[in-house]
Amino acid sequence: MRGYLYVALSFAAFFLSYYSRLAWSVLSTYSSLRPTPYEDGLIFSIFFAAYIAVQIPAGLVSDAIGPKKVLVMALLGLAASSVLGGAADTIWLEYLGSVLMGFSAGWIYPTTIKLLSTNFEGKDLARAMGYYSLAWPISIILLGVGLPTAAEDLGWRWGYYLIGVASFAIALAAAVLMEDVRRRDNGGLNLRVLASRNVALLSIGGFLFYYAYWAFAFYAYDYLRSIGMSGILAGEIYSMTAAAGIASTVITGYLIGRIGLWRTFLIAIPLYGLTILGFAVLRAPIWLAAVALAMGFFRFMVTPANSTLASVIGGPGRSGSVTGAANFFWQLSGVIAGSASPLIFVSMGYASLWGAMALMVFASLVPYVMLRDAMGLSGRGKSG
């Protein structure tokens, strides 16, 4: 039962780290600071930059000292920085709050993967990752449902204050309920894991896959509007890409245990690539809605699969380091995709962008093929 308590705590922490990342996209429209589009963009960018910067340190430190201390401190930092973001009376304080929020949230993913990998193995590990990964699609859905309501009823600052209260509550629960799971096989910091073949392949495969995901996530709504859809209809179709993920993340946890990691990747990645191609050739809203649902289903199969693979490669002793190193490149893909994608669609159109992103998804399968031998769930993987 303690293991499933850790799943719940990890889910809540990961939820808050992602929810806080997207919160300004809603709250900026209500903010009394009246930010310009350029100020909005800077707030997003500095959060992302700070988040990425701590991925590798977060993994190494969680392996060295155990996940409990790291997770509690990260959540307390997120609580304090969220309150600062809500209390900011100038855009410069909002910048500072965003940097500190990104810095704090960035420690959570490698640390929670470390926590789960030290409490589960084999089929149970894959299932735990499935439930844990629900945090990603649910955070996107609840952001659109709950945050505007909070901003309108309580004021935009309370959108951040509520994140702060929730972060503090989860930090307190982790401090009281978690055991210190630092293991004998941790052995302090180990930088050699960062240069291993398997970590490099996992980083490359995820970079290619998530690059295509971020390019779609950033520009799909604009694309739907550009082909004549209303704002409401475009938003509904866009949200479908996350809604289906609620089912697929849980199903994937059981699917991995039944057919293995390799076959799961072999199913999810090519089918996800085909759904991106669907956006390049279809125009009718009903067909685009169907493709969006399928896209979300297959895309969110990869989240628990990648988390499980990082745990297997690193084993209980190095799962934090492997996850942090890989996630650095997975998240870096979003920074590059956001600025590079217009170079394609401005000159050649959105169909060319979606075609290029589909090819990138198919290419991501190559590094995963090379990791096939590392994908066994019956035992612990190795970092080299």
Side-chain angles (χ1 to χ4, degrees):
M1 291 301 296
R2 183 172 293 275
Y4 287 98
L5 169 65
Y6 291 167
V7 173
L9 289 173
S10 297
F11 166 91
F14 185 34
F15 173 92
L16 288 167
S17 74
Y18 202 85
Y19 195 89
S20 62
R21 186 187 322 186
L22 300 176
W24 185 251
S25 64
V26 173
L27 297 179
S28 65
T29 62
Y30 297 93
S31 174
S32 57
L33 301 179
R34 301 186 183 280
T36 68
Y38 298 104
E39 290 168 338
D40 276 344
L42 183 56
I43 287 173
F44 292 134
S45 295
I46 58 181
F47 184 107
F48 226 100
Y51 184 97
I52 292 172
V54 300
Q55 289 304 295
I56 293 175
L60 292 170
V61 172
S62 65
D63 279 341
I65 69 173
K68 178 177 180 176
K69 296 183 181 69
V70 181
L71 184 60
V72 171
M73 293 304 296
L75 287 166
L76 289 176
L78 184 58
S81 55
S82 298
V83 171
L84 174 61
D89 56 2
T90 69
I91 198 67
W92 292 100
L93 278 178
E94 200 66 69
Y95 291 155
L96 178 60
S98 187
V99 168
L100 295 177
M101 287 173 70
F103 179 87
S104 301
W107 294 79
I108 290 174
Y109 179 64
T111 302
T112 48
I113 296 299
K114 168 71 174 181
L115 176 63
L116 296 179
S117 70
T118 55
N119 285 277
F120 296 92
E121 60 183 338
K123 295 180 179 179
D124 289 335
L125 174 63
R127 291 168 185 166
M129 290 299 179
Y131 287 113
Y132 164 80
S133 299
L134 278 170
W136 193 329
I138 289 177
S139 66
I140 296 173
I141 294 169
L142 292 185
L143 184 88
V145 174
L147 204 52
T149 301
E152 291 178 4
D153 293 347
L154 302 174
W156 72 272
R157 297 182 186 279
W158 274 96
Y160 275 139
Y161 293 155
L162 291 173
I163 294 173
V165 170
S167 299
F168 180 81
I170 301 303
L172 182 62
V176 173
L177 299 175
M178 281 178 61
E179 294 180 346
D180 190 345
V181 295
R182 186 175 187 273
R183 301 172 60 102
R184 289 174 296 176
D185 54 358
N186 285 353
L189 294 173
N190 183 354
L191 298 177
R192 289 179 299 175
V193 68
L194 304 180
S196 74
R197 171 185 178 273
N198 286 350
V199 173
L201 289 172
L202 179 60
S203 300
I204 294 168
F207 178 91
L208 293 171
F209 181 89
Y210 288 117
Y211 187 106
Y213 164 74
W214 287 117
F216 184 86
F218 290 151
Y219 296 106
Y221 183 83
D222 286 341
Y223 165 68
L224 294 171
R225 293 301 307 275
S226 74
I227 61 175
M229 289 189 190
S230 68
I232 293 175
L233 180 58
E236 290 173 346
I237 292 178
Y238 185 83
S239 69
M240 291 178 185
T241 63
I246 294 177
S248 66
T249 49
V250 175
I251 292 171
T252 301
Y254 288 89
L255 187 66
I256 292 171
R258 191 170 188 85
I259 68 173
L261 267 170
W262 162 241
R263 291 185 181 89
T264 302
F265 279 112
L266 193 60
I267 292 170
I269 290 178
L271 291 176
Y272 179 70
L274 288 175
T275 61
I276 294 181
L277 278 180
F279 264 71
V281 299
L282 297 173
R283 293 292 185 275
I286 186 65
W287 289 111
L288 287 174
V291 170
L293 283 171
M295 176 184 286
F297 187 90
F298 296 123
R299 179 261 171 273
F300 281 101
M301 288 180 67
V302 176
T303 299
N306 265 332
S307 298
T308 304
L309 181 54
S311 297
V312 170
I313 289 173
R318 300 298 171 198
S319 56
S321 298
V322 171
T323 301
N327 198 43
F328 173 86
F329 291 98
W330 299 348
Q331 301 301 322
L332 180 63
S333 68
V335 177
I336 300 174
S339 57
S341 295
L343 299 178
I344 298 176
F345 71 76
V346 169
S347 60
M348 294 183 287
Y350 277 109
S352 296
L353 176 63
W354 305 146
M357 294 306 99
L359 289 176
M360 190 167 286
V361 171
F362 295 139
S364 75
L365 193 60
V366 175
Y368 289 109
V369 170
M370 299 173 70
L371 281 168
R372 184 175 180 179
D373 290 341
M375 292 192 188
L377 281 176
S378 59
R380 293 295 187 181
K382 296 181 180 180
S383 59

Short mmCIF file of all heavy atoms in Angstrom, two decimals, residues 334-355:
data_model
loop_
_atom_site.label_atom_id
_atom_site.label_comp_id
_atom_site.label_asym_id
_atom_site.label_seq_id
_atom_site.Cartn_x
_atom_site.Cartn_y
_atom_site.Cartn_z
N GLY A 334 11.25 21.19 -27.17
CA GLY A 334 10.17 22.16 -27.21
C GLY A 334 10.66 23.57 -27.45
O GLY A 334 10.02 24.35 -28.17
N VAL A 335 11.80 23.91 -26.87
CA VAL A 335 12.37 25.23 -27.08
C VAL A 335 12.72 25.43 -28.55
O VAL A 335 12.42 26.47 -29.16
CB VAL A 335 13.62 25.43 -26.19
CG1 VAL A 335 14.26 26.78 -26.45
CG2 VAL A 335 13.25 25.28 -24.72
N ILE A 336 13.34 24.42 -29.16
CA ILE A 336 13.76 24.53 -30.55
C ILE A 336 12.56 24.48 -31.49
O ILE A 336 12.47 25.25 -32.45
CB ILE A 336 14.78 23.42 -30.89
CG1 ILE A 336 16.00 23.54 -29.99
CG2 ILE A 336 15.17 23.49 -32.36
CD1 ILE A 336 16.99 22.41 -30.15
N ALA A 337 11.62 23.58 -31.20
CA ALA A 337 10.45 23.42 -32.09
C ALA A 337 9.63 24.70 -32.15
O ALA A 337 9.12 25.05 -33.22
CB ALA A 337 9.59 22.27 -31.61
N GLY A 338 9.51 25.39 -31.04
CA GLY A 338 8.70 26.60 -31.02
C GLY A 338 9.21 27.68 -31.95
O GLY A 338 8.44 28.39 -32.60
N SER A 339 10.54 27.81 -32.02
CA SER A 339 11.12 28.87 -32.85
C SER A 339 11.42 28.42 -34.27
O SER A 339 11.43 29.24 -35.20
CB SER A 339 12.41 29.39 -32.20
OG SER A 339 13.33 28.33 -32.02
N ALA A 340 11.65 27.13 -34.48
CA ALA A 340 12.05 26.63 -35.80
C ALA A 340 10.86 26.29 -36.70
O ALA A 340 10.97 26.37 -37.92
CB ALA A 340 12.94 25.40 -35.66
N SER A 341 9.73 25.92 -36.12
CA SER A 341 8.59 25.50 -36.93
C SER A 341 8.10 26.56 -37.91
O SER A 341 7.74 26.23 -39.05
CB SER A 341 7.44 25.05 -36.01
OG SER A 341 7.80 23.90 -35.29
N PRO A 342 8.06 27.84 -37.51
CA PRO A 342 7.62 28.86 -38.48
C PRO A 342 8.48 28.92 -39.74
O PRO A 342 8.00 29.37 -40.79
CB PRO A 342 7.71 30.16 -37.69
CG PRO A 342 7.54 29.74 -36.27
CD PRO A 342 8.24 28.43 -36.17
N LEU A 343 9.72 28.48 -39.65
CA LEU A 343 10.57 28.47 -40.84
C LEU A 343 10.01 27.55 -41.91
O LEU A 343 10.30 27.72 -43.10
CB LEU A 343 12.00 28.02 -40.46
CG LEU A 343 12.74 28.89 -39.44
CD1 LEU A 343 14.09 28.29 -39.12
CD2 LEU A 343 12.89 30.32 -39.96
N ILE A 344 9.21 26.56 -41.49
CA ILE A 344 8.61 25.64 -42.46
C ILE A 344 7.25 26.13 -42.90
O ILE A 344 6.99 26.31 -44.09
CB ILE A 344 8.49 24.22 -41.85
CG1 ILE A 344 9.88 23.66 -41.52
CG2 ILE A 344 7.75 23.28 -42.81
CD1 ILE A 344 9.85 22.31 -40.84
N PHE A 345 6.34 26.41 -41.94
CA PHE A 345 4.96 26.66 -42.37
C PHE A 345 4.74 28.06 -42.95
O PHE A 345 3.82 28.26 -43.74
CB PHE A 345 3.95 26.36 -41.25
CG PHE A 345 3.94 27.32 -40.09
CD1 PHE A 345 3.36 28.58 -40.19
CD2 PHE A 345 4.47 26.94 -38.86
CE1 PHE A 345 3.32 29.45 -39.11
CE2 PHE A 345 4.44 27.80 -37.77
CZ PHE A 345 3.87 29.06 -37.90
N VAL A 346 5.58 29.03 -42.60
CA VAL A 346 5.41 30.35 -43.16
C VAL A 346 5.70 30.34 -44.66
O VAL A 346 4.99 30.97 -45.46
CB VAL A 346 6.31 31.37 -42.44
CG1 VAL A 346 6.35 32.69 -43.20
CG2 VAL A 346 5.81 31.60 -41.02
N SER A 347 6.71 29.60 -45.07
CA SER A 347 7.10 29.59 -46.47
C SER A 347 6.43 28.48 -47.28
O SER A 347 6.16 28.65 -48.47
CB SER A 347 8.62 29.45 -46.60
OG SER A 347 9.07 28.26 -45.99
N MET A 348 6.12 27.34 -46.63
CA MET A 348 5.62 26.18 -47.38
C MET A 348 4.23 25.72 -46.96
O MET A 348 3.66 24.84 -47.58
CB MET A 348 6.62 25.02 -47.25
CG MET A 348 7.95 25.28 -47.93
SD MET A 348 9.07 23.86 -47.85
CE MET A 348 9.55 23.92 -46.11
N GLY A 349 3.70 26.28 -45.88
CA GLY A 349 2.37 25.90 -45.44
C GLY A 349 2.37 24.86 -44.33
O GLY A 349 3.37 24.18 -44.10
N TYR A 350 1.22 24.76 -43.66
CA TYR A 350 1.11 23.84 -42.52
C TYR A 350 1.21 22.38 -42.94
O TYR A 350 1.70 21.53 -42.19
CB TYR A 350 -0.20 24.07 -41.78
CG TYR A 350 -0.13 25.20 -40.79
CD1 TYR A 350 -0.79 26.40 -41.02
CD2 TYR A 350 0.58 25.07 -39.60
CE1 TYR A 350 -0.74 27.45 -40.10
CE2 TYR A 350 0.64 26.09 -38.67
CZ TYR A 350 -0.02 27.27 -38.92
OH TYR A 350 0.05 28.29 -38.00
N ALA A 351 0.73 22.04 -44.14
CA ALA A 351 0.81 20.64 -44.58
C ALA A 351 2.26 20.17 -44.63
O ALA A 351 2.56 19.03 -44.27
CB ALA A 351 0.14 20.48 -45.95
N SER A 352 3.15 21.05 -45.04
CA SER A 352 4.57 20.70 -45.07
C SER A 352 5.12 20.51 -43.66
O SER A 352 5.94 19.62 -43.41
CB SER A 352 5.37 21.79 -45.80
OG SER A 352 4.98 21.86 -47.16
N LEU A 353 4.66 21.36 -42.73
CA LEU A 353 5.10 21.20 -41.34
C LEU A 353 4.65 19.87 -40.78
O LEU A 353 5.45 19.13 -40.19
CB LEU A 353 4.55 22.34 -40.48
CG LEU A 353 4.87 22.24 -38.98
CD1 LEU A 353 6.36 22.31 -38.72
CD2 LEU A 353 4.13 23.32 -38.19
N TRP A 354 3.37 19.53 -40.97
CA TRP A 354 2.88 18.26 -40.43
C TRP A 354 3.57 17.07 -41.10
O TRP A 354 3.87 16.07 -40.44
CB TRP A 354 1.37 18.15 -40.60
CG TRP A 354 0.56 19.27 -40.03
CD1 TRP A 354 -0.60 19.79 -40.54
CD2 TRP A 354 0.82 20.04 -38.83
NE1 TRP A 354 -1.07 20.80 -39.76
CE2 TRP A 354 -0.23 20.98 -38.69
CE3 TRP A 354 1.82 20.01 -37.88
CZ2 TRP A 354 -0.29 21.89 -37.65
CZ3 TRP A 354 1.77 20.93 -36.82
CH2 TRP A 354 0.73 21.84 -36.72
N GLY A 355 3.85 17.17 -42.39
CA GLY A 355 4.57 16.09 -43.06
C GLY A 355 5.97 15.91 -42.51
O GLY A 355 6.43 14.79 -42.26
#
